[in-house]
Amino acid sequence: MQRVLQPEPIRAALAAKGWDQKQLAQTIGVSAQAVTNWMKGEDFPRPATLLKLATALSLSFDELVHLPQRDEPIIAFRKKTGTKTTDEHVLRAKAMGALLKPLVPFLPPRKALRTQIPSASTEYELLQNAAASVRAKLGIGAESVLTYERLIAEFDANDAVLIPVMWGKKDRHENALHILLPGDQVTFIYLNLDTHLEDFKFWMAHELAHVYTPDLAGKDAGEDFADAFAGSLLFPRELARHAYAEASRAPTAAAEMQALQQFAHQHMISLFTVYTQVSRHATAAGLRPLRVADKSIHAVRNSGRGALVSQALFEPMPPDPSTYIAAAHNVFQSAFFPALRRMLHERGTGVGYVQQLLDASIADAQALHTELIR
C-alpha cells in the first residue's frame, strides 16, 4: 500500500489561507524540504505530523491521503462512556493503520477458514441464536464460564492480531481500537490494559463481534451489534433465566442485587452485564422487570471497581520490556511482537516506527526497540 499525500487538496487549502509551502512547514514544525518531498510523493509524514497537517489545513484523512479503496483502513473504536469520535481520532487511527501495513508480510500465514455472522441482528432471538452458535463452535455449554483463554484463541483463529497497550485509565479516548486492513484481510486490535478486570472480558467479546462481522466494522450498526452480542455471548439466555429465577425469589431489591452479583463474580464479568442480560430476558419472556434500578447497579459497580488488567499482569508497574513482550505472546497469543522483531532485524527499522506504531513515549519505544533487536 503506497501512502502518498494528495497534492491538489493541499494546494487548494494553502491558497485559501494565502500560504506557501514554506509557511506550512513553519506552522507544523518541519523543514520546507519535507513538505516538498510529501508533495512529490517521495515521503510520507508520521501520524503525529499528519495530524498537525490536517489540523493546520482543516482537511480530513480522505482529503489528505491517497489510498486504493481496497487498502483504506477500516476503523472501529471501543470508546469510554460518553466520548465522541472526532476527526482527530479517525485521522490518527487511519494513520496507524497505514503504518501497520508493512508489518503484514512478517505475520504468520493467514487462515483459510474463519467464523462469520452473516446476518447480524440485535433482535433478541436472533442474537441468542448467534451467541449459541459461537459457544458451540468454541466447545462450551450454554451455562459454562467463557474463559479468557477461549476468547483469545478465537482472535488468532480468525487472523486478528491483538496488541496489548497501556494507554492510561483516563487519558485515552478508546478502550480498544480495531483496525481492519481489507486488502490484506488482517485485523489488528489494540487492547488497553489500563482498564478494570471486570470490564475487560466484555470489551474483548465486543471486539470479537467486530471480527465476526467485518462488513459492519466502523459503522454505528456494527457498534450496536458488538455490544449486544458481547453480552449475549458472555451471559446467554440460559444463564439469564437462572439469574432471574434466583433474583425474583429475593425478598428485597438489595437481596436481588446480591443474587446478580454472585453470577457476575462466578462468570468474571461486570454486574452491569448480568443485570442487562437478565433484564433483556425478562422483557423477551414477558416477565415483570427486576426491582433493582439501573442507577443502583451503576452505584454499586462504581463503588467497588477492582484492579486494572495491567496491575494484575505486571505488578509492580511498569513492566520491563521483556516482561511486556512475553505477556503479549504468552497471555494474548499475539503474533505482533514476533512479527515486529523480524521486521526490525530484516529492514533495520528505527525507534520512530515503534513509537508511532504503539503511540508510546520515545523512552518506552527506545526500550522496546533495544529489546526487540537483541
Side-chain angles (χ1 to χ4, degrees):
M1 175 172 61
Q2 184 181 5
R3 298 167 294 147
V4 295
L5 296 182
Q6 302 194 79
E8 290 309 316
I10 295 175
R11 291 192 185 102
L14 289 174
K17 290 181 174 291
W19 291 357
D20 58 20
Q21 290 182 198
K22 183 177 180 180
Q23 287 172 294
L24 174 62
Q26 292 173 341
T27 301
I28 62 177
V30 299
S31 68
Q33 186 61 51
V35 175
T36 298
N37 292 343
W38 298 341
M39 297 295 281
K40 290 181 178 180
E42 296 175 356
D43 201 357
F44 189 79
R46 291 180 175 179
T49 306
L50 186 66
L51 181 59
K52 292 179 182 178
L53 183 62
T55 302
L57 298 178
S58 300
L59 294 174
S60 68
F61 181 91
D62 295 336
E63 291 170 320
L64 269 178
V65 182
H66 171 72
L67 290 174
Q69 187 172 4
R70 67 184 293 274
D71 285 329
E72 178 79 13
I74 298 173
I75 307 301
F77 293 103
R78 172 63 191 163
K79 301 178 293 183
K80 291 185 177 181
T81 304
T83 56
K84 293 182 179 179
T85 301
T86 66
D87 290 341
E88 176 182 339
H89 294 128
V90 173
L91 179 66
R92 186 184 295 275
K94 286 190 175 183
M96 290 177 75
L99 279 172
L100 285 162
K101 171 70 177 181
L103 192 65
V104 172
F106 297 92
L107 293 171
R110 251 72 82 214
K111 312 292 191 304
L113 298 175
R114 302 181 186 178
T115 300
Q116 290 201 17
I117 299 176
S119 300
S121 171
T122 56
E123 194 274 321
Y124 188 77
E125 287 299 322
L126 295 177
L127 196 63
Q128 293 297 325
N129 291 341
S133 177
V134 169
R135 276 184 162 251
K137 175 184 178 296
L138 295 176
I140 59 174
E143 299 179 33
S144 299
V145 176
L146 177 54
T147 64
Y148 281 108
E149 291 77 12
R150 298 271 188 167
L151 277 173
I152 289 169
E154 247 329 75
F155 286 100
D156 180 63
N158 287 275
D159 289 321
V161 181
L162 298 179
I163 308 176
V165 291
M166 286 170 282
W167 281 344
K169 179 172 175 284
K170 297 180 179 179
D171 298 336
R172 299 295 306 199
H173 161 265
E174 63 272 5
N175 287 321
L177 172 59
H178 180 110
I179 301 176
L180 168 63
L181 302 181
D184 297 290
Q185 296 187 327
V186 176
T187 299
F188 292 89
I189 299 170
Y190 290 83
L191 288 174
N192 186 10
L193 303 183
D194 290 328
T195 193
H196 292 285
L197 277 165
E198 67 181 45
D199 298 322
F200 194 64
K201 190 185 286 188
F202 183 91
W203 295 348
M204 290 188 68
H206 174 104
E207 290 304 322
L208 188 60
H210 282 316
V211 173
Y212 289 157
T213 55
D215 292 341
L216 292 180
K219 300 177 182 178
D220 288 342
E223 290 301 305
D224 292 341
F225 175 77
D227 267 349
F229 177 82
S232 300
L233 183 66
L234 296 174
F235 206 75
R237 60 183 157 195
E238 290 81 3
L239 285 168
R241 186 180 298 122
H242 287 313
Y244 180 88
E246 294 246 354
S248 64
R249 289 194 291 267
T252 64
E256 189 177 80
M257 186 183 299
Q258 289 178 347
L260 299 181
Q261 284 178 306
Q262 290 177 354
F263 281 92
H265 179 74
Q266 179 184 355
H267 288 267
M268 297 176 288
I269 56 179
S270 75
L271 173 63
F272 182 73
T273 296
V274 172
Y275 170 77
T276 299
Q277 294 309 119
V278 173
S279 297
R280 287 176 178 170
H281 161 68
T283 299
L287 303 171
R288 70 164 179 82
L290 294 171
R291 287 166 291 179
V292 64
D294 57 357
K295 64 179 182 181
S296 299
I297 295 290
H298 285 296
V300 170
R301 177 192 182 198
N302 293 333
S303 66
R305 307 304 293 269
L308 303 180
V309 177
S310 53
Q311 293 170 330
L313 283 174
F314 301 128
E315 199 66 39
M317 289 280 288
D320 61 68
S322 61
T323 301
Y324 170 49
I325 292 169
H329 179 69
N330 297 322
V331 177
F332 294 98
Q333 300 181 25
S334 174
F336 175 73
F337 281 114
L340 183 57
R341 189 189 300 272
R342 287 191 289 272
M343 181 181 178
L344 297 183
H345 279 281
E346 291 186 24
R347 296 189 178 178
T349 309
V351 175
Y353 179 75
V354 177
Q355 181 189 13
Q356 298 293 329
L357 198 62
L358 292 171
D359 199 6
S361 70
I362 187 63
D364 287 343
Q366 180 65 68
L368 285 169
H369 187 273
T370 300
E371 178 66 28
L372 289 167
I373 63 174
R374 285 181 179 175

